[in-house]
């Protein structure tokens, strides 16, 4: 197989991410969001909100991280943050998915994409910490736009939202969480 | 309105692009693609295929161009390349959409995003020429994956595909068009 044939096969496989459904809906509540359009939206979030990163980031790397961060869900599906799951089992499935999907690419790109995905998952570098905060905050806004969205169905409390989401957003972009706090407090108080 | 409030309002408005339907379907023909997930897919295309650009490109700029290139469709809708439309009227509508949508952002970002969109539309810089070639080639692959996809409905001939799409892809990334040529020829010959 030629290099370009492998690249195009990877891109056609990636198309399947448009059929992976997330728990969150669109902001007009018309339907559930898929992981492909979610990945576009958060890449745009990062582009617009980069100035609020707690430490300076390389926005090109952050965006590329976000573009590939959910590809493993083609095999593993989306795992709602407020849902019930076994983190170790989920990690095992996602590792297997990363091994399969990134290795559709030519070897040099497979290694580079896998390294970027590993960096995102580890959430230790400034770029990955900011990318994670963006990935976490976008569904919060979708929920706020849809009268709590998935929060009632998952029986989420204000304390759980802070523990599961707020601390992660604050770690990478405290200004964004601060900007949402009054809307979040108002929803949970109502 | 604070700076971050304006940024978040823009990002919530951008959510509507997930409801703009394109003529093209997903690669499994299950449904029509929307412009949000299309934007994600072509940003990933650019990331994977940058080495095939006819001239060296700044991949970070290309990706950001592709992330925002279809936002005007929130107001203007998608205009299928093989469909019937008045280019001057379409350009007028898209200019008005760009004026409205990008100006939801703080002024400095509104100008920067608008300049990037204008550059994409003009297709004169190396980055924009490559971005256009990527935007054009992805639906061709979706059509090839779905037994011609939208080509029969639009009565597209091989010559029309070459004139409307092929020349644009070849201008920015001839190697990609060459890699597809035998599949395209085979489909139109069948």
């Amino acid at each position: 197989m030629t290099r370009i044939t492998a690249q195009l096969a990877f891109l056609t496989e990636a198309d399947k991410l448009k059929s992976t459904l997330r728990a969150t809906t669109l902001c007009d509540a018309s339907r559930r969001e898929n992981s492909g359009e979610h990945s576009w939206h958060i890449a745009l979030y990062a582009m617009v909100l980069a100035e609020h990163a707690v430490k300076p980031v390389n926005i090109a790397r952050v965006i590329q991280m976000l573009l590939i961060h959910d590809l493993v869900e083609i095999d593993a599906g989306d795992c709602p943050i407020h849902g019930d799951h076994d983190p170790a089992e989920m990690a095992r499935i996602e590792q297997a998915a990363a091994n399969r999907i990134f290795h559709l690419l030519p070897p040099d790109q497979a290694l580079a994409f896998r390294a970027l995905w590993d960096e995102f998952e580890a959430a230790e570098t400034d770029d990955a910490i900011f990318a994670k905060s963006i990935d976490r905050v976008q569904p919060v806004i979708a929920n706020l736009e849809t009268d709590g969205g998935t929060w009632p169905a998952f029986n989420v409390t204000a304390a759980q939202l802070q523990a599961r989401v707020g601390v992660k957003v604050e770690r990478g972009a405290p200004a964004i969480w601060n900007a949402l706090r009054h809307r979040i407090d108002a929803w949970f108080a109502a």
Side-chain angles (χ1 to χ4, degrees), chain A residues 167-188:
Chain A
V167 293
K168 302 261 170 73
V169 180
E170 285 179 318
R171 187 172 175 223
I176 302 175
W177 198 243
N178 279 340
L180 295 173
R181 197 179 298 273
H182 67 287
R183 292 180 65 189
I184 293 167
D185 289 348
W187 190 85
F188 280 100

Side-chain angles (χ1 to χ4, degrees), chain A residues 26-144:
Chain A
L26 303 194
C27 289
D28 64 2
S30 57
R31 62 169 173 81
R32 287 168 67 188
E33 188 186 39
N34 71 62
S35 294
E37 62 200 0
H38 160 74
S39 297
W40 163 71
H41 206 183
I42 60 175
L44 188 66
Y45 262 70
M47 185 176 163
V48 170
L49 299 172
E51 68 194 75
H52 303 295
V54 70
K55 291 189 186 168
V57 291
N58 178 334
I59 188 60
R61 294 188 78 247
V62 169
I63 288 174
Q64 293 185 48
M65 226 177 253
L66 292 172
L67 290 175
I68 67 162
H69 84 294
D70 269 347
L71 282 171
V72 294
E73 294 184 0
I74 290 171
D75 289 352
D78 179 61
C79 194
I81 192 154
H82 301 298
D84 230 4
H85 65 278
D86 174 349
E89 174 66 1
M90 200 62 201
R92 192 192 62 71
I93 294 170
E94 291 193 348
Q95 289 289 326
N99 286 341
R100 182 185 78 78
I101 295 163
F102 293 127
H103 286 278
L104 296 172
L105 286 165
D108 60 313
Q109 286 190 317
L111 285 176
F113 279 51
R114 177 57 188 262
L116 202 58
W117 182 76
D118 286 341
E119 180 180 338
F120 175 80
E121 286 295 304
E124 286 166 359
T125 64
D126 293 340
D127 290 345
I129 289 168
F130 179 63
K132 281 269 181 190
S133 73
I134 291 295
D135 184 37
R136 289 281 198 267
V137 82
Q138 179 255 2
V140 171
I141 292 175
N143 281 344
L144 288 170

